[in-house]
Amino acid sequence: MSSSVPEHIAIIMDGNGRWAKERGLPRTAGHKEGGEALKRTINACKDLGVKYLSVYAFSTENWKRPEEEVSFLQGLLLQALHNEVKKLAKVGVRLRFLGDLSAFNSELRENMRKAEEATADNSNHQLNIMLNYGSQDEIVRAINQAIKEGKEVTRESFSQLLYTSGIPDPELIIRTSGEQRLSNFMLWQAAYSELWFTDAYWPDFNKELLQQAIDDYNSRARRFGGL
Ligand code: IPE
Ligand code: IPE
Ligand code: MG
């Protein structure tokens, strides 16, 4: 069994609401604790030498949720930008925000832009936060871009029209909370990703579970259609 750490791990961070419900807490408490799990996971990925970590933070479908929850999530992000960006910059993490960011208010957009700018020179680790991200949206956008340019696309040139342009496809996609679906996440990029599911809710995710996912990944035969 060859042992290697994936270059790119993507995570569908799910189960914040159920984590809170089990404790008789409001869903928002689950999102707050989910933020702590994300910090732990960023550190764990750094320690293990994972180059790219992509996390699904808000989908194009999540606007269907109650307005209070949607605005709480945006507030949490703004707070995290204020508190965490300097630290991430210092420890060598480059931050990217991927998705249709035009839906967010100018304060949030400006802070995301500044965070990307402040960390742009870091090259050892990259954290992609997928926000108002939906893979179908991403693909349609890319198709329209290609039509505008009037050029036929190849697989390579098409990839470059996606939000993830320049980022290798994830070798491993993790989803927490027991759900086993992609929910419009990286449909193109997941073509040959290994999928790993855990019943743990996102706020309970930790380095041990990450290591389990990586060990499991290492035990699999990736054939890419070959023998
Ligand atoms: C994931 O947790 C976080 C977001 C989608 C923003 P959920 O909020 O989906 O939690 P559950 O699935 O309702 O438990
Ligand atoms: C997927 O979780 C989106 C994020 C984790 C941001 P959801 O909770 O929105 O997915 P469904 O509705 O269970 O498929
Ligand atoms: Mg969910």
Side-chain angles (χ1 to χ4, degrees):
M1 180 176 116
S2 71
S3 183
S4 63
V5 172
E7 183 181 24
H8 184 179
I9 295 179
I11 306 183
I12 301 170
M13 310 183 290
D14 199 13
N16 294 351
R18 281 163 284 167
W19 180 92
K21 193 171 178 214
E22 276 191 0
R23 285 161 180 76
L25 299 169
R27 292 180 54 84
T28 49
H31 294 313
K32 207 157 169 275
E33 203 55 33
E36 298 303 313
L38 178 55
K39 280 192 246 170
R40 278 200 296 279
T41 305
I42 295 166
N43 286 328
C45 281
K46 264 190 72 256
D47 293 349
L48 293 167
V50 176
K51 176 150 187 197
Y52 297 93
L53 171 65
S54 298
V55 295
Y56 202 9
F58 194 86
S59 76
T60 47
E61 286 73 45
N62 286 147
W63 298 103
K64 292 177 190 161
R65 297 186 178 200
E67 147 71 19
E68 309 90 76
E69 181 167 344
V70 170
S71 53
F72 181 87
L73 286 166
Q74 292 183 40
L76 200 62
L77 173 65
L78 193 60
Q79 205 186 352
L81 286 168
H82 285 309
N83 296 337
E84 305 299 328
V85 171
K86 271 208 186 87
K87 284 181 236 168
L88 289 173
K90 218 163 110 188
V91 297
V93 177
R94 178 176 182 195
L95 256 174
R96 295 283 318 278
F97 296 91
L98 309 183
D100 179 7
L101 306 180
S102 70
F104 300 109
N105 67 40
S106 54
E107 186 188 16
L108 201 49
R109 286 206 315 270
E110 181 59 12
N111 278 279
M112 290 191 266
R113 193 193 59 73
K114 279 193 196 149
E116 286 191 336
E117 199 178 83
T119 59
D121 292 335
N122 289 336
S123 54
N124 290 346
H125 301 281
Q126 182 167 321
L127 171 64
N128 303 313
I129 301 187
M130 323 289 277
L131 276 175
N132 194 22
Y133 173 88
S135 206
Q136 291 183 337
D137 236 42
E138 176 184 42
I139 289 168
V140 167
R141 236 176 119 256
I143 290 170
N144 285 329
Q145 185 63 34
I147 291 171
K148 231 195 263 164
E149 290 170 12
K151 282 200 289 237
E152 258 186 48
V153 292
T154 61
R155 280 193 281 188
E156 289 71 27
S157 72
F158 188 72
S159 294
Q160 286 163 21
L161 298 175
L162 301 175
Y163 292 121
T164 50
S165 171
I167 300 168
D169 291 341
E171 292 99 323
L172 175 61
I173 297 180
I174 294 172
R175 184 171 187 150
T176 57
S177 89
E179 310 298 352
Q180 303 196 353
R181 55 176 170 264
L182 288 173
S183 301
N184 204 7
F185 185 61
M186 290 205 183
L187 302 181
W188 171 275
Q189 298 87 338
Y192 271 100
S193 302
E194 295 297 327
L195 308 180
W196 192 81
F197 302 104
T198 173
D199 286 338
Y201 294 136
W202 175 247
D204 290 326
F205 196 75
N206 56 29
K207 193 172 182 179
E208 287 67 45
L209 286 166
L210 180 67
Q211 188 62 58
Q212 262 183 44
I214 293 174
D215 290 346
D216 201 355
Y217 163 82
N218 274 309
S219 74
R220 300 184 189 180
R222 303 188 76 205
R223 284 183 286 273
F224 301 99
L227 297 181

